[in-house]
Amino acid sequence: MSSITSSCYSNLILKKKESRINCGSHLQYNGLRAIETVQMPANSASSKPKAVKCGRIRAMASPGVSAPKRETDPKKRIVITGMGLVSVFGSDIDNFYNKLLEGQSGISLLDCFDASDYSVRFGGQIRDFSSKGYIDGKNDRRLDNCWRYCLVAGKRALDDANLGQQVLETMDKTRIGVLVGSGMGGLKVFSDGVEALVQRGYKKISPFFIPYSITNMGSALLAIETGLMGPNYSISTACASANHSFCAAANHIRRGDADIMVAGGTEAGVTATGLGGFIACRALSQRNDDYEKASRPWDRNRDGFVVGEGSGILVMESLEHALKRGANIIAEYLGGAVTCDAHHMTDPRPDGLGVSSCITKSLVDARVSPEEVNYINAHATSTLAGDMAEVNAIKKVFKDTSEIKMNGTKSMIGHGLGAAGGIEAIATIKAITTGWLHPTINQYELEPQVTIDTVPNVKKQHEVNIGISNSFGFGGHNSVVVFAPYKN
């Protein structure tokens, strides 16, 4: 299969007159069939990209080649004004990122259910979770953890954006929407309902069985709790759900549907059913006796991913609205994209075409040239096929990776499934704001094809010009988002 080449864009960028990037030959696709070859001037071999210090963001491109013109309309520029999470390292974002910088593993033996007979008995289980001050006691007892995590992360994000309940009461809440994705929804409530049906009959099924199982309930409950009446739904594209939600939320702001979107992902897959299901898929690491070293992205001896859970939510806001209310602007969302591998239910395309085209389209949407990107928060689940498919796709888009660093958050917290993109977006933004990249731990014997700096085992200082965060899910769903430091 021919694949998209170049450190440049797909044919979509050719439609944007302001985006002129030097590149080699380029294949235009109709579905997956190459229908036309377009020849474009190649970059001079002697013009090596140079690193750019983070002041005003500039392309690391050849002399005389300008970067795409960024969006300037403050109604369409989207900034991050709040962040909230629930993770294996707690719900305080600074503490969470400090644990990542330390290279600490959050993986442990499971005790939230009896896993003694399971072939895998460990994961990224959240312990000592408290919803005090965020969910009332009666509801707290009924809710699936998936929605408990969502409500706490969502309300913490709103508080971080100075959008607490008293402030919200003074605002037009029809202009504030919620879009929180989940891969599986209320899995524990669903499992308990099926168990009640089988063992005691349908009359013993909880009346909350359906409402607390369906995947839209995170967005719905957060809106009910806060009174937000703008666009509200859920996206369920497996482990691509959170990034997919960011892309959709951004489009609502750009179209003028909303001024603010509360967006991200949530998941509570560390359950008997969730663990058993992934064991049946043969997707998990089997390192029961060395579980802290089980998640090892790009290591030659990796043997599967480690299941995790949590929630990561951002407050995304038009620059115009953020400036008008005097919000603290943390970073800028430049763009994103979604594609599909159209290949297999669980395996990635070996040629990486779905992923490379998703990265390319995200850069087009962000109006960013590949030469400007110098940080990638990779999907990097620690699976045999997935890790290398992602690296191959990255190399197709970024021909010179000498200035790029990429790391794998999942090496420390496991795979948060539908929440992964949300949590990793926060890690990406913290890398931008702190100038420090967390390590990819458990790097002992790197795959020889991985020639990009993976920040092995020890944190590194790195001034991020443009950072991208990748998320890919079962079904071949791909989603990529692009963040940058906020500049006036």
Side-chain angles (χ1 to χ4, degrees):
M1 167 66 71
S2 298
S3 62
I4 292 179
T5 65
S6 83
S7 62
C8 66
Y9 295 5
S10 68
N11 57 305
L12 291 179
I13 197 169
L14 303 179
K15 297 178 183 177
K16 292 184 175 286
K17 294 183 180 179
E18 70 272 26
S19 303
R20 300 178 61 191
I21 311 297
N22 281 359
C23 59
S25 62
H26 171 76
L27 289 178
Q28 183 180 357
Y29 281 83
N30 176 12
L32 296 175
R33 181 171 59 90
I35 58 173
E36 180 181 2
T37 301
V38 181
Q39 293 293 332
M40 300 177 67
N43 277 335
S44 169
S46 63
S47 57
K48 185 178 179 181
K50 296 181 179 180
V52 177
K53 290 294 182 182
C54 200
R56 182 169 297 278
I57 298 170
R58 296 179 288 121
M60 298 181 288
S62 303
V65 180
S66 60
K69 184 179 178 182
R70 294 281 166 75
E71 179 63 72
T72 58
D73 186 347
K75 293 182 179 179
K76 294 183 178 180
R77 284 182 68 183
I78 297 165
V79 292
I80 308 305
T81 56
M83 304 190 293
L85 61 69
V86 172
S87 77
V88 291
F89 297 133
S91 297
D92 181 88
I93 288 175
D94 288 339
N95 182 66
F96 162 76
Y97 199 62
N98 286 337
K99 294 290 187 184
L100 294 182
L101 291 177
E102 292 166 6
Q104 182 172 324
S105 175
I107 307 306
S108 61
L109 292 174
L110 302 178
D111 60 14
C112 53
F113 63 93
D114 183 5
S116 58
D117 291 335
Y118 284 59
S119 60
V120 175
R121 298 182 290 278
F122 60 92
Q125 178 183 327
I126 291 175
R127 301 172 184 276
D128 304 319
F129 170 74
S130 173
S131 60
K132 186 176 180 180
Y134 296 101
I135 309 172
D136 72 74
K138 188 176 181 180
N139 282 331
D140 199 29
R141 290 189 293 272
R142 294 169 174 168
L143 287 171
D144 190 280
N145 276 344
C146 189
W147 313 135
R148 297 172 79 219
Y149 299 160
C150 172
L151 287 173
V152 171
K155 289 183 178 182
R156 290 182 70 94
L158 287 166
D159 287 343
D160 189 46
N162 193 27
L163 292 170
Q165 203 59 42
Q166 286 187 331
V167 176
L168 288 176
E169 291 303 324
T170 69
M171 302 178 72
D172 181 358
K173 287 186 278 190
T174 66
R175 301 285 303 165
I176 308 175
V178 184
L179 211 174
V180 180
S182 176
M184 297 184 289
L187 190 59
K188 177 68 162 56
V189 167
F190 182 84
S191 300
D192 289 347
V194 172
E195 184 178 347
L197 171 66
V198 171
Q199 294 185 357
R200 295 180 289 163
Y202 79 93
K203 291 183 180 180
K204 296 300 182 181
I205 295 175
S206 166
F208 299 102
F209 169 60
I210 296 296
Y212 287 168
S213 295
I214 52 182
T215 55
N216 69 301
M217 202 47 63
S219 297
L221 289 172
L222 188 53
I224 291 167
E225 289 275 322
T226 56
L228 304 181
M229 298 174 66
N232 188 296
Y233 54 98
S234 174
I235 290 174
S236 185
T237 45
C239 308
S241 296
N243 276 4
H244 200 156
S245 298
F246 293 140
C247 294
N251 288 335
H252 281 297
I253 295 172
R254 288 170 173 170
R255 288 199 306 261
D257 301 337
D259 299 315
I260 300 173
M261 291 294 296
V262 184
T266 188
E267 202 81 86
V270 182
T271 67
T273 304
L275 186 69
F278 284 118
I279 290 173
C281 286
R282 300 181 181 178
L284 299 182
S285 169
Q286 304 285 316
R287 285 188 166 87
N288 290 299
D289 297 327
D290 201 14
Y291 50 83
E292 290 187 347
K293 297 178 181 179
S295 182
R296 47 177 70 193
W298 307 301
D299 189 89
R300 292 184 71 175
N301 295 310
R302 67 194 181 280
D303 68 332
F305 77 83
V306 177
V307 66
E309 59 183 351
S311 182
I313 294 178
L314 304 178
V315 175
M316 306 174 71
E317 188 167 357
S318 74
L319 176 60
E320 179 183 65
H321 193 270
L323 292 174
K324 188 178 295 184
R325 73 179 185 90
N328 176 46
I329 297 173
I330 303 169
E332 185 164 3
Y333 169 92
L334 296 181
V338 295
T339 64
C340 184
D341 278 0
H343 171 67
H344 189 270
M345 283 192 302
T346 57
D347 293 341
R349 288 181 67 100
D351 61 9
L353 177 59
V355 171
S356 63
S357 65
C358 192
I359 296 173
T360 294
K361 289 178 180 181
S362 75
L363 299 184
V364 173
D365 187 56
R367 304 188 188 190
V368 164
S369 65
E371 291 83 4
E372 291 179 274
V373 176
N374 69 342
Y375 170 56
I376 300 171
N377 187 291
H379 186 56
T381 59
S382 184
T383 57
L384 289 173
D387 284 10
M388 294 315 301
E390 182 177 11
V391 168
N392 293 337
I394 288 169
K395 286 183 175 181
K396 287 176 184 176
V397 180
F398 304 101
K399 288 303 184 182
D400 183 352
T401 60
S402 62
E403 301 294 338
I404 293 177
K405 298 187 187 302
M406 70 176 182
N407 55 9
T409 308
K410 295 179 183 70
S411 64
M412 287 174 275
I413 65 173
H415 190 352
L417 311 171
I423 296 170
E424 289 160 17
I426 291 173
T428 302
I429 292 168
K430 289 297 288 183
I432 290 170
T433 59
T434 65
W436 283 94
L437 305 184
H438 71 67
T440 307
I441 67 169
N442 304 325
Q443 299 276 274
Y444 304 108
E445 191 176 355
L446 200 64
E447 288 279 9
Q449 304 98 306
V450 182
T451 55
I452 307 170
D453 184 350
T454 63
V455 196
N457 301 316
V458 179
K459 67 182 179 181
K460 286 186 179 180
Q461 200 163 10
H462 185 61
E463 201 164 18
V464 178
N465 294 322
I466 304 286
I468 70 171
S469 181
N470 296 340
S471 288
F472 317 122
F474 280 2
H477 300 291
N478 307 307
S479 57
V480 177
V481 289
V482 185
F483 296 101
Y486 167 68
K487 302 293 180 182
N488 290 328

